[in-house]
Amino acid sequence: MSLSQNIMTALKEAMKSKNTVALTALRAVKSAILLAQTESGAKEELTEEQELKILQKQVKQRKDSAAIFVEQGREDLAAPELAEAEVIAQFLPEAMTEEEVAKVVEEMIAKTGAEGMKDMGKVMGMVNKAVAGRADGKTISTIVKAKLA
């Protein structure tokens, strides 16, 4: 079953159980996926990699919003955002630890022969493909900078 189908199934379950938090989050994800499909003019389904990127973006948006709300002392608005992020994160593959990401970064640096910060883009691209949705860009970037510096 594809990721889109899993999301639709979960959406139906959320409707039946009247889970408003899950319903809101899943509708937003469905909307983002449909928008991406129509944006590219593609008649076929999105690839799993594209769907994962959309899910990561949705989770990141909610976490960023929650952080801003907490910063402004609005915990009442932050809680639903974090709850929605948790619902969406269920569909993402298990995240890699920083040690696992560091190991992949070291492999890619060795493979490309990167020697300094000028090669960061090349290494980042290869690492992003290798971890495919199991680590966020900020973590990868931090580790790559540390290894290349």
Side-chain angles (χ1 to χ4, degrees):
M1 203 187 267
S2 78
L3 196 54
S4 298
Q5 291 170 331
N6 287 339
I7 291 169
M8 284 303 298
T9 304
L11 185 64
K12 289 175 189 173
E13 288 300 316
M15 284 181 192
K16 288 178 186 174
S17 66
K18 295 183 175 31
N19 183 345
T20 57
V21 172
L23 199 54
T24 304
L26 294 171
R27 281 183 175 155
V29 170
K30 181 184 171 197
S31 173
I33 289 173
L34 287 173
L35 184 65
Q37 283 177 331
T38 56
E39 208 172 71
S40 63
K43 299 276 188 257
E44 70 277 350
E45 295 283 316
L46 294 174
T47 64
E48 191 171 341
E49 188 176 305
Q50 291 170 317
E51 289 175 338
L52 286 174
K53 283 184 180 178
I54 290 170
L55 289 178
Q56 284 179 316
K57 184 176 179 182
Q58 293 288 317
V59 170
K60 185 178 183 326
Q61 283 176 344
R62 279 160 181 74
K63 286 183 177 178
D64 289 349
S65 295
I68 291 169
F69 289 141
V70 168
E71 200 175 279
Q72 296 174 347
R74 295 295 310 264
E75 280 76 18
D76 59 318
L77 296 175
E81 292 289 331
L82 291 172
E84 286 180 23
E86 278 184 40
V87 169
I88 298 168
Q90 294 172 8
F91 297 98
L92 290 171
E94 192 172 323
M96 296 174 77
T97 64
E98 285 193 26
E99 293 79 29
E100 291 171 325
V101 175
K103 196 178 292 184
V104 172
V105 169
E106 288 171 7
E107 289 173 16
M108 294 306 160
I109 289 173
K111 189 183 273 188
T112 61
E115 296 175 356
M117 291 304 286
K118 67 180 179 353
D119 297 321
M120 183 175 171
K122 190 185 327 177
V123 174
M124 284 287 296
M126 292 182 72
V127 172
N128 278 326
K129 282 184 183 170
V131 298
R134 295 179 294 157
D136 68 323
K138 189 174 185 179
T139 305
I140 296 170
S141 174
T142 304
I143 293 172
V144 170
K145 282 179 185 173
K147 298 287 183 189
L148 290 177

